Amino acid sequence: YWKAYRENRIDTQELRYLRLSATFNTLNTDVSDQTIDQLSEAYIQELSNFTALFPGTIEVLGALKKKYHLHIITNGFDAVQHKKLENSQLKQFFTSVTTAEAVGCKKPQPEIFEMARRKEEKTLSSFSSNLGNATKQQKKTKIFKIMLRKSR
């Protein structure tokens, strides 16, 4: 469903509904639309409490922050991303977070990267590094999930 969401074939509400509906269908379990909506909302509220990190994450980000300004560009939901960063104590490492929901377009559309670049024009440079799963289009255009800029 994330692929359909990225390609604008479904919206946020459909994504949230369909992924749960499909799970219950796979389990051959009848669940009302109202229950799915309630579960979806509860899931979004609880998602930001899942803060487990890979070993060494804090140390790596700390080392990177000494040399670079770190920025996140994500298709994740605005409220969840900001809460997750705060709850996992990662917010301190990032200069900005640009969400598709806030910008109105999703990765890998070039507009979200352009919006992030304009938004952070003073701190972003042309040095980019792939610290996640870049799509073929992102690799082709050399635009990646997290942009880094050398500190002064």
Side-chain angles (χ1 to χ4, degrees), residues 104-123:
C105 63
K106 302 171 195 79
K107 294 185 311 178
Q109 295 172 314
E111 295 85 1
I112 191 170
F113 297 98
E114 179 59 26
M115 181 64 79
R117 187 193 64 75
R118 281 196 310 246
K119 178 176 144 186
E120 296 299 327
E121 200 166 27
K122 293 178 183 173
T123 57

Side-chain angles (χ1 to χ4, degrees), residues 1 21 30 38-41 46 50 52 55-56 63 65 70 82 97:
Y1 296 103
S21 176
D30 287 329
Q38 290 170 342
L39 286 171
S40 176
E41 187 59 38
E46 289 299 316
F50 302 139
K65 186 177 179 178
L70 305 175
H82 291 284
V97 177

Side-chain angles (χ1 to χ4, degrees), residues 28-71:
N28 293 319
T29 304
D30 287 329
V31 178
S32 72
D33 289 346
Q34 181 181 3
T35 299
I36 290 173
D37 288 340
Q38 290 170 342
L39 286 171
S40 176
E41 187 59 38
Y43 174 73
I44 293 299
Q45 294 301 315
E46 289 299 316
L47 187 59
S48 59
N49 294 323
F50 302 139
T51 58
L53 302 173
F54 287 106
T57 299
I58 298 293
E59 294 79 10
V60 168
L61 288 173
L64 288 170
K65 186 177 179 178
K66 288 177 184 176
K67 290 183 140 186
Y68 305 103
H69 294 266
L70 305 175
H71 304 266

Side-chain angles (χ1 to χ4, degrees), residues 66-132:
K66 288 177 184 176
K67 290 183 140 186
Y68 305 103
H69 294 266
L70 305 175
H71 304 266
I72 295 177
I73 301 171
T74 178
N75 284 342
F77 303 127
D78 198 51
V80 173
Q81 298 305 307
H82 291 284
K83 278 185 185 176
K84 253 185 159 175
L85 285 169
E86 196 159 313
N87 291 344
S88 62
Q89 300 176 351
L90 295 179
K91 184 177 180 179
Q92 64 182 320
F93 297 107
F94 296 96
T95 302
S96 71
V97 177
T98 301
T99 65
E101 194 172 29
V103 172
C105 63
K106 302 171 195 79
K107 294 185 311 178
Q109 295 172 314
E111 295 85 1
I112 191 170
F113 297 98
E114 179 59 26
M115 181 64 79
R117 187 193 64 75
R118 281 196 310 246
K119 178 176 144 186
E120 296 299 327
E121 200 166 27
K122 293 178 183 173
T123 57
L124 288 179
S125 74
S126 61
F127 179 76
S128 297
S129 178
N130 180 10
L131 297 179

Side-chain angles (χ1 to χ4, degrees), residues 134-150:
T135 65
K136 287 178 186 174
Q137 181 177 351
Q138 288 169 320
K139 287 177 184 174
K140 217 182 263 184
T141 60
K142 300 194 185 319
I143 296 175
F144 301 103
K145 194 180 218 177
I146 297 178
M147 295 182 184
L148 307 172
R149 177 183 178 255
K150 225 174 168 114

